[in-house]
Structures are given as structure tokens and as C-alpha cells.
Amino acid sequence: MFATTPPAPYYAVIFTSLRTDNNDGYGDAATRMVELAAGQPGFLGVESARGVDGLGITVSYWASEEAIAHWKRDAEHTLARERGRKDWYAAYETRVAKVERAYSFRKADAA
Amino acid sequence: MFATTPPAPYYAVIFTSLRTDNNDGYGDAATRMVELAAGQPGFLGVESARGVDGLGITVSYWASEEAIAHWKRDAEHTLARERGRKDWYAAYETRVAKVERAYSFRKADAA
């Protein structure tokens, strides 16, 4: 669901992907990576969606560039990335961006 | 599908949303907004996914802050935003971010 992020500035890693049809171990690894990321210093939250056309977008939010670099070096995450390139992803784009401003809307009569 | 973006830096607008169950006019407006955005100066591309839990993520890419401001002021876009808040969206977050670096992966044996 929505990530609860602090006032800008902070960082976003936009990960856009197309999967292969190899699902072996993917679901467990995806769950584990979210769990592992959430325990990293500077992790702020994550939002994820995969559409019927197969395109997936996962945006993780981080307090700093250092937090992103630290997460990238994590040993278990590095192994998962290697497995991802070998088995799970046909293609992906990773974009690192600095969030400069943000706006929220909540419908008045929404729960 | 994937947006084909130039070398960084450029800008991303990360739009994360939950829809209401009011679909009246939504599909046509969503299609029209992508078409209209694509004709704006500084538009670089768009990636979009909505997952089974209802969370949608649309990331549009822009050459500059000015291009984003120009698109935000577009009259037809402004009307669609107002309609969106009234009818189509229960909640959303809009984050404007500067993409500082990007990495691509394409599987060697992928089409």
C-alpha cells in the first residue's frame, strides 16, 4: 500500500521490471527482500504494483544516498540481484532519484 | 511498458493511487491523459502498473521542472485532476523527483 514518507527531501529507487516465466523461488525472495530492506538503516517505505501486461513497478524510499548504497551492498540482497538477473527478470530499469516535493490527497469521505 | 529515457539527470513524477469504485469516464480519461502528456514539451515517457490489491503506480518522466509545471497547468489536465479528486481516487500521493542515475538490464537471450 502507500508508503508513509517524511517531508521531502528524501530518495526514491524506482525499479521497473518485466519477469521471465521462471517463478522458482521468486515469491519467497521478493517477500524476503522487502523484509530485509525494511530492517535497513534509512529505509522509509516501499510501494509496489504489477499490471496485467506484466510490467512491475516497485518504488522504495530512503533517507539518504548512503542508505541506498548500504542496501545495495547487503550480501543477501546482492545474491538476490544476481539470481534475479539469471532467472527472474527479462529486463529491468533502476532509477535513483531525489524526491524534492510531494502532495497527498485523501478523499474526505474515505475510510 | 518501459519508458526510453535519456541519460540522467531528468525528472520523474511518481503518482501512487487507490481508486474509488466509480469507473464512470475513468478509462477514457486515463487514455486521454497519456496521449495529452505525450504531446507536451519535455515529456520523456511513462510507466504504469496497477496491482491486484488496487494500488496503482504511474511514473512519468520529464526533461525539466519547467516541463512538469507546464503540464500541471494544462487546462484539460487540470479538469481531469479535479474530476479525479471528486470521482475516481480515494487517495493518492504525487512525488516529484530528480533522477540522478539509472541502470538497465536486458537478459542476453531475451527478445
Side-chain angles (χ1 to χ4, degrees), chain B residues 17-70:
Chain B
S17 67
L18 282 175
R19 294 263 287 103
T20 61
D21 51 14
N22 181 345
N23 291 314
D24 183 33
Y26 173 75
D28 287 349
T31 301
R32 173 65 182 148
M33 283 307 110
V34 168
E35 178 184 280
L36 193 62
Q40 298 287 308
F43 175 83
L44 300 176
V46 64
E47 295 169 339
S48 198
R50 186 169 299 277
V52 289
D53 68 349
L55 189 76
I57 305 177
T58 296
V59 189
S60 58
Y61 300 100
W62 300 88
S64 66
E65 287 268 23
E66 292 69 28
I68 295 170
H70 184 266

Coordinates of all heavy atoms in Angstrom, one line a residue, chain B residues 17-70:
Chain B
S17 N -1.7 5.7 -6.4 CA -3.1 5.9 -6.2 C -3.9 4.7 -5.8 O -3.5 3.6 -6.1 CB -3.7 6.5 -7.5 OG -3.7 5.5 -8.5
L18 N -5.0 5.0 -5.1 CA -6.0 4.0 -4.9 C -7.3 4.5 -5.5 O -7.7 5.7 -5.2 CB -6.3 3.8 -3.4 CG -5.2 2.9 -2.7 CD1 -5.5 2.8 -1.2 CD2 -5.3 1.4 -3.2
R19 N -8.0 3.7 -6.3 CA -9.2 4.2 -7.0 C -10.4 4.0 -6.1 O -10.4 3.2 -5.2 CB -9.4 3.4 -8.3 CG -8.3 3.6 -9.3 CD -8.7 4.6 -10.3 NE -9.7 4.0 -11.2 CZ -11.0 4.2 -11.1 NH1 -11.6 5.0 -10.3 NH2 -11.8 3.5 -12.0
T20 N -11.4 4.8 -6.4 CA -12.8 4.5 -5.8 C -13.4 3.4 -6.7 O -12.7 2.9 -7.6 CB -13.7 5.7 -5.9 OG1 -13.8 6.1 -7.3 CG2 -13.1 6.9 -5.2
D21 N -14.6 3.0 -6.5 CA -15.2 2.0 -7.4 C -16.1 2.7 -8.5 O -16.8 2.1 -9.2 CB -16.1 1.0 -6.6 CG -17.0 1.6 -5.6 OD1 -17.2 2.8 -5.7 OD2 -17.5 0.9 -4.8
N22 N -15.9 4.0 -8.6 CA -16.5 4.8 -9.7 C -15.7 4.8 -10.9 O -14.6 5.4 -11.0 CB -16.8 6.2 -9.2 CG -17.5 7.1 -10.2 OD1 -17.6 6.7 -11.4 ND2 -18.0 8.2 -9.8
N23 N -16.1 4.0 -11.9 CA -15.4 3.9 -13.2 C -15.9 4.8 -14.3 O -15.3 4.8 -15.4 CB -15.4 2.5 -13.7 CG -14.6 1.5 -12.8 OD1 -13.5 1.9 -12.4 ND2 -15.2 0.4 -12.4
D24 N -16.9 5.6 -14.0 CA -17.6 6.4 -15.0 C -16.6 7.4 -15.6 O -16.2 8.4 -15.0 CB -18.7 7.2 -14.3 CG -19.5 8.0 -15.4 OD1 -19.6 7.6 -16.5 OD2 -20.0 9.1 -15.0
G25 N -16.2 7.1 -16.9 CA -15.4 8.0 -17.6 C -13.9 7.8 -17.3 O -13.0 8.5 -18.0
Y26 N -13.5 7.0 -16.4 CA -12.1 6.9 -16.0 C -11.2 6.4 -17.1 O -10.1 7.0 -17.3 CB -12.0 6.0 -14.7 CG -10.6 5.7 -14.4 CD1 -9.8 6.7 -13.8 CD2 -10.0 4.5 -14.6 CE1 -8.5 6.5 -13.5 CE2 -8.6 4.3 -14.3 CZ -7.9 5.3 -13.8 OH -6.6 5.0 -13.5
G27 N -11.6 5.3 -17.7 CA -10.7 4.7 -18.7 C -10.4 5.6 -19.9 O -9.2 5.8 -20.2
D28 N -11.4 6.3 -20.4 CA -11.2 7.2 -21.5 C -10.3 8.4 -21.0 O -9.5 8.8 -21.8 CB -12.6 7.8 -21.9 CG -13.4 6.8 -22.7 OD1 -12.9 5.7 -23.1 OD2 -14.6 7.1 -23.0
A29 N -10.5 8.9 -19.8 CA -9.7 10.0 -19.3 C -8.3 9.6 -19.1 O -7.4 10.3 -19.4 CB -10.3 10.5 -18.0
A30 N -8.1 8.4 -18.6 CA -6.7 7.9 -18.4 C -6.0 7.8 -19.7 O -4.8 8.2 -19.8 CB -6.7 6.5 -17.6
T31 N -6.6 7.2 -20.7 CA -6.0 7.1 -22.0 C -5.7 8.5 -22.6 O -4.7 8.7 -23.2 CB -7.0 6.3 -23.0 OG1 -7.3 5.0 -22.4 CG2 -6.4 6.2 -24.4
R32 N -6.7 9.4 -22.5 CA -6.5 10.7 -23.0 C -5.4 11.5 -22.3 O -4.6 12.2 -23.0 CB -7.9 11.5 -22.8 CG -7.8 13.0 -23.2 CD -7.5 13.2 -24.6 NE -7.5 14.7 -24.9 CZ -6.7 15.2 -25.8 NH1 -5.9 14.4 -26.6 NH2 -6.7 16.5 -26.0
M33 N -5.2 11.3 -21.0 CA -4.2 12.0 -20.3 C -2.8 11.5 -20.7 O -1.9 12.3 -20.9 CB -4.3 11.8 -18.8 CG -5.4 12.7 -18.1 SD -5.3 14.5 -18.5 CE -6.7 14.6 -19.6
V34 N -2.6 10.2 -21.0 CA -1.4 9.7 -21.5 C -1.1 10.3 -22.9 O 0.1 10.8 -23.2 CB -1.3 8.2 -21.6 CG1 -0.1 7.7 -22.3 CG2 -1.4 7.6 -20.2
E35 N -2.1 10.4 -23.7 CA -2.0 10.9 -25.1 C -1.6 12.4 -25.0 O -0.7 12.9 -25.7 CB -3.3 10.7 -25.8 CG -3.5 11.3 -27.1 CD -5.0 11.1 -27.6 OE1 -5.3 9.9 -28.0 OE2 -5.8 12.0 -27.5
L36 N -2.3 13.1 -24.1 CA -2.1 14.6 -24.0 C -0.7 14.8 -23.4 O 0.0 15.7 -23.8 CB -3.2 15.1 -23.0 CG -3.3 16.7 -23.0 CD1 -3.7 17.3 -24.3 CD2 -4.4 17.0 -21.9
A37 N -0.3 14.1 -22.4 CA 1.1 14.2 -21.8 C 2.1 14.0 -22.8 O 3.1 14.8 -22.9 CB 1.2 13.3 -20.6
A38 N 1.9 13.0 -23.6 CA 2.9 12.6 -24.6 C 3.2 13.7 -25.6 O 4.2 13.8 -26.3 CB 2.5 11.4 -25.4
G39 N 2.2 14.7 -25.8 CA 2.4 15.8 -26.7 C 2.9 17.0 -26.1 O 3.1 18.0 -26.7
Q40 N 3.2 17.0 -24.8 CA 3.7 18.1 -24.1 C 5.2 18.3 -24.3 O 6.0 17.3 -24.4 CB 3.5 18.0 -22.5 CG 2.1 17.8 -22.1 CD 1.3 19.2 -22.2 OE1 1.8 20.2 -21.7 NE2 0.2 19.1 -22.9
P41 N 5.7 19.6 -24.3 CA 7.2 19.8 -24.4 C 7.9 19.1 -23.2 O 7.4 19.3 -22.0 CB 7.3 21.3 -24.3 CG 6.0 21.8 -23.9 CD 4.9 20.8 -24.2
G42 N 8.9 18.4 -23.4 CA 9.7 17.9 -22.3 C 9.3 16.5 -21.8 O 9.9 16.0 -20.9
F43 N 8.2 16.0 -22.4 CA 7.7 14.6 -22.0 C 8.7 13.6 -22.5 O 9.1 13.6 -23.7 CB 6.4 14.4 -22.6 CG 5.8 13.0 -22.3 CD1 5.2 12.7 -21.1 CD2 6.0 12.0 -23.3 CE1 4.8 11.4 -20.9 CE2 5.5 10.7 -23.0 CZ 4.9 10.4 -21.8
L44 N 9.2 12.7 -21.6 CA 10.1 11.7 -22.0 C 9.5 10.3 -22.0 O 10.1 9.4 -22.8 CB 11.3 11.7 -21.0 CG 12.1 13.0 -20.9 CD1 13.2 12.9 -19.8 CD2 12.7 13.4 -22.2
G45 N 8.5 10.0 -21.3 CA 7.9 8.7 -21.3 C 7.1 8.4 -20.0 O 7.1 9.3 -19.1
V46 N 6.4 7.3 -20.0 CA 5.6 7.0 -18.8 C 5.6 5.4 -18.6 O 5.7 4.7 -19.6 CB 4.2 7.5 -19.0 CG1 3.5 6.9 -20.2 CG2 3.3 7.4 -17.8
E47 N 5.5 5.0 -17.4 CA 5.4 3.6 -17.0 C 4.3 3.5 -16.0 O 4.1 4.3 -15.1 CB 6.7 3.1 -16.4 CG 7.9 3.1 -17.4 CD 9.2 2.9 -16.7 OE1 9.4 3.1 -15.5 OE2 10.2 2.6 -17.5
S48 N 3.4 2.5 -16.1 CA 2.3 2.4 -15.3 C 1.9 0.9 -14.9 O 2.1 0.1 -15.8 CB 1.1 3.0 -16.0 OG 0.0 3.4 -15.2
A49 N 1.5 0.7 -13.7 CA 1.0 -0.6 -13.3 C 0.0 -0.5 -12.2 O 0.1 0.4 -11.4 CB 2.2 -1.4 -12.8
R50 N -1.0 -1.4 -12.2 CA -1.9 -1.4 -11.1 C -2.0 -2.9 -10.6 O -2.3 -3.7 -11.5 CB -3.3 -0.8 -11.4 CG -4.2 -0.8 -10.2 CD -5.5 0.0 -10.5 NE -5.3 1.4 -10.9 CZ -5.1 2.4 -10.0 NH1 -5.0 2.2 -8.7 NH2 -4.8 3.6 -10.4
G51 N -1.8 -3.1 -9.4 CA -1.8 -4.5 -8.8 C -3.1 -4.9 -8.4 O -4.1 -4.2 -8.3
V52 N -3.2 -6.2 -8.0 CA -4.5 -6.8 -7.6 C -5.0 -6.3 -6.3 O -6.2 -6.3 -6.1 CB -4.3 -8.4 -7.5 CG1 -4.2 -9.0 -8.9 CG2 -3.2 -8.8 -6.6
D53 N -4.1 -5.7 -5.5 CA -4.6 -5.0 -4.3 C -5.2 -3.6 -4.5 O -5.6 -3.0 -3.6 CB -3.4 -5.0 -3.2 CG -2.3 -4.0 -3.6 OD1 -2.3 -3.6 -4.8 OD2 -1.4 -3.7 -2.8
G54 N -5.1 -3.2 -5.8 CA -5.7 -1.9 -6.1 C -4.8 -0.7 -6.2 O -5.1 0.3 -6.6
L55 N -3.5 -0.9 -5.6 CA -2.6 0.2 -5.7 C -2.0 0.3 -7.1 O -1.6 -0.6 -7.7 CB -1.4 -0.1 -4.7 CG -0.4 1.1 -4.6 CD1 -1.1 2.1 -3.6 CD2 0.9 0.6 -4.0
G56 N -2.1 1.6 -7.6 CA -1.6 1.9 -8.9 C -0.4 2.8 -8.8 O -0.3 3.6 -7.9
I57 N 0.6 2.5 -9.6 CA 1.8 3.4 -9.7 C 2.0 3.8 -11.1 O 2.1 3.0 -12.0 CB 3.1 2.7 -9.2 CG1 2.8 2.1 -7.7 CG2 4.3 3.6 -9.2 CD1 4.0 1.3 -7.2
T58 N 2.0 5.1 -11.4 CA 2.3 5.7 -12.7 C 3.5 6.6 -12.5 O 3.5 7.5 -11.7 CB 1.1 6.4 -13.3 OG1 0.1 5.5 -13.5 CG2 1.5 7.1 -14.6
V59 N 4.6 6.4 -13.2 CA 5.7 7.2 -13.2 C 5.9 7.9 -14.6 O 6.0 7.2 -15.6 CB 7.0 6.5 -12.8 CG1 8.2 7.5 -12.6 CG2 6.9 5.6 -11.6
S60 N 5.8 9.2 -14.6 CA 6.0 9.9 -15.9 C 7.4 10.6 -15.8 O 7.8 11.0 -14.7 CB 4.9 10.9 -16.2 OG 4.8 11.9 -15.2
Y61 N 8.1 10.7 -16.9 CA 9.4 11.2 -16.9 C 9.5 12.5 -17.8 O 8.8 12.6 -18.8 CB 10.4 10.2 -17.5 CG 10.4 8.9 -16.6 CD1 9.7 7.8 -17.0 CD2 11.2 8.9 -15.5 CE1 9.7 6.6 -16.2 CE2 11.2 7.7 -14.7 CZ 10.5 6.6 -15.1 OH 10.5 5.5 -14.3
W62 N 10.2 13.5 -17.3 CA 10.2 14.8 -17.9 C 11.6 15.4 -18.0 O 12.5 15.1 -17.1 CB 9.3 15.7 -17.0 CG 7.9 15.3 -16.9 CD1 7.4 14.4 -16.0 CD2 6.8 15.5 -17.8 NE1 6.1 14.1 -16.3 CE2 5.7 14.8 -17.4 CE3 6.7 16.4 -19.0 CZ2 4.5 14.9 -18.0 CZ3 5.5 16.4 -19.6 CH2 4.4 15.7 -19.1
A63 N 11.8 16.2 -19.0 CA 13.2 16.8 -19.2 C 13.6 17.8 -18.1 O 14.8 18.0 -17.9 CB 13.3 17.4 -20.6
S64 N 12.6 18.5 -17.5 CA 12.9 19.6 -16.7 C 11.7 19.9 -15.7 O 10.6 19.5 -15.9 CB 13.2 20.9 -17.5 OG 12.0 21.3 -18.2
E65 N 12.0 20.7 -14.7 CA 11.0 21.2 -13.8 C 10.0 22.0 -14.5 O 8.8 22.0 -14.2 CB 11.6 22.0 -12.7 CG 12.4 21.3 -11.7 CD 11.5 20.9 -10.5 OE1 10.3 20.9 -10.6 OE2 12.1 20.7 -9.4
E66 N 10.4 22.8 -15.5 CA 9.6 23.7 -16.3 C 8.5 22.8 -17.0 O 7.4 23.2 -17.2 CB 10.4 24.5 -17.3 CG 11.3 25.6 -16.6 CD 12.4 25.0 -15.9 OE1 12.9 23.9 -16.2 OE2 12.9 25.6 -14.9
A67 N 9.0 21.7 -17.6 CA 8.1 20.8 -18.4 C 7.0 20.3 -17.4 O 5.8 20.2 -17.8 CB 8.8 19.7 -19.0
I68 N 7.3 19.9 -16.2 CA 6.4 19.4 -15.2 C 5.4 20.5 -14.9 O 4.1 20.3 -14.8 CB 7.1 18.9 -14.0 CG1 7.9 17.7 -14.3 CG2 6.0 18.6 -12.9 CD1 8.8 17.2 -13.2
A69 N 5.9 21.7 -14.6 CA 5.0 22.9 -14.3 C 4.0 23.2 -15.4 O 2.8 23.5 -15.2 CB 5.8 24.1 -13.9
H70 N 4.5 23.1 -16.6 CA 3.7 23.4 -17.8 C 2.6 22.4 -17.9 O 1.4 22.7 -18.2 CB 4.6 23.4 -19.1 CG 3.9 23.8 -20.3 ND1 3.4 22.8 -21.2 CD2 3.6 25.0 -20.9 CE1 2.8 23.4 -22.2 NE2 3.0 24.7 -22.1

